[in-house]
Amino acid sequence: AVWPKQPAFQMGISLLLMVSGLMAGLSIKNGEFSREEFAEMKDEIRENRQLVTLSLLNQPSAIDRLEGVSMSRQVREPNETLISALLTTLNSDQNVNVRMAAVDALYLFSGKPEVREELVKSLSTQLSPFVQIALIDLLVELRDKSALDVLKKISEDRQILEPVKKHARKGINQII
C-alpha cells in the first residue's frame, strides 16, 4: 500500500533513493558531506523531480497528469522542457481540470517573460470558459498590459459567452 502503483513514481522514487544512498555512502566513507556533494545531491533530486513530473504529464490518465502538474509546483527552477510541457498541457490537454491546474502551476513561473507571452497566446486560443476566466484572472493579477488586445477581442467576440466577455471587460479596466 505504501509503494505507488504508477511506473513513473516507482522510477522517480527508486532514482531518488539510489542517489540518496550513494551520497550517504560517500558521507560515511569521508566522515561528512562536502558542500560540492551536497550541491550535487540537490541537483540530482531537482532533476529527478522534473523527470518524474514530465513523465506524469505524458500519462494517459488525467489523474496522473494532474499529479504531474501538482509536482511541477515543487520545482523552484524549472528547465525549459518542464515549462514547455506545462504550456502544452494548458493548450492541448483534453481535460479541463488538468488545463485549469496548469494555469495555476504556470502562475509560479510567470516571472519569466516567455511564460507571460505564452499565457497571453493561450488565452486567445482557449475554448473552455473556465480556462478563459482563469487565464484572465491570472493576467489581470500580473497586470500584463500585453494582454489588453486579446482581452478586447474576447470582450467583442460574439461567439464568446457573455460572462467571459464581461470578465474580460472587467479585466481591461483593472489592468489600465
Side-chain angles (χ1 to χ4, degrees):
V2 175
W3 189 248
K5 294 180 182 175
Q6 294 90 2
F9 277 135
Q10 292 173 351
M11 181 182 76
I13 291 171
S14 297
L15 287 172
L16 185 63
L17 290 173
M18 184 178 76
V19 170
S20 299
L22 287 172
M23 292 301 174
L26 287 173
S27 71
I28 291 171
K29 178 181 173 189
N30 296 332
E32 63 180 61
F33 274 128
S34 70
R35 287 182 186 222
E36 293 86 24
E37 291 171 331
F38 188 70
E40 284 178 31
M41 186 172 74
K42 284 176 67 175
D43 288 342
E44 288 289 327
I45 290 171
R46 186 176 323 128
E47 287 176 26
N48 286 336
R49 184 174 288 147
Q50 289 191 49
L51 285 172
V52 171
T53 301
L54 287 169
S55 176
L56 287 169
L57 288 173
N58 290 315
Q59 296 299 310
S61 165
I63 293 172
D64 290 340
R65 295 192 309 276
L66 275 170
E67 185 64 32
V69 172
S70 178
M71 280 190 72
S72 72
R73 293 180 184 135
Q74 299 171 8
V75 177
R76 289 194 177 127
E77 297 172 25
N79 60 25
E80 289 179 27
T81 307
L82 180 58
I83 290 175
S84 177
L86 284 170
L87 289 166
T88 300
T89 300
L90 169 62
N91 292 322
S92 61
D93 199 282
Q94 65 267 20
N95 188 295
V96 173
N97 293 325
V98 175
R99 292 198 318 263
M100 294 284 290
V103 171
D104 291 340
L106 285 163
Y107 171 76
L108 299 174
F109 312 124
S110 61
K112 297 176 180 272
E114 62 273 12
V115 172
R116 285 182 179 218
E117 182 181 324
E118 291 299 321
L119 289 170
V120 172
K121 285 181 190 176
S122 181
L123 177 57
S124 65
T125 62
Q126 289 295 329
L127 299 177
S128 166
F130 298 113
V131 178
Q132 290 170 331
I133 287 175
L135 282 168
I136 290 169
D137 288 343
L138 173 57
L139 293 168
V140 167
E141 185 172 333
L142 297 172
R143 299 278 192 241
D144 195 328
K145 292 187 185 278
S146 67
L148 288 172
D149 289 338
V150 175
L151 290 172
K152 188 173 183 179
K153 285 179 186 175
I154 287 173
S155 70
E156 297 170 352
D157 190 337
R158 293 178 189 217
Q159 295 181 350
I160 301 288
L161 294 175
E162 190 57 40
V164 176
K165 293 186 339 185
K166 184 177 179 181
H167 211 72
R169 285 191 290 272
K170 183 180 172 187
I172 291 169
N173 291 332
Q174 290 177 327
I175 291 175
I176 295 176

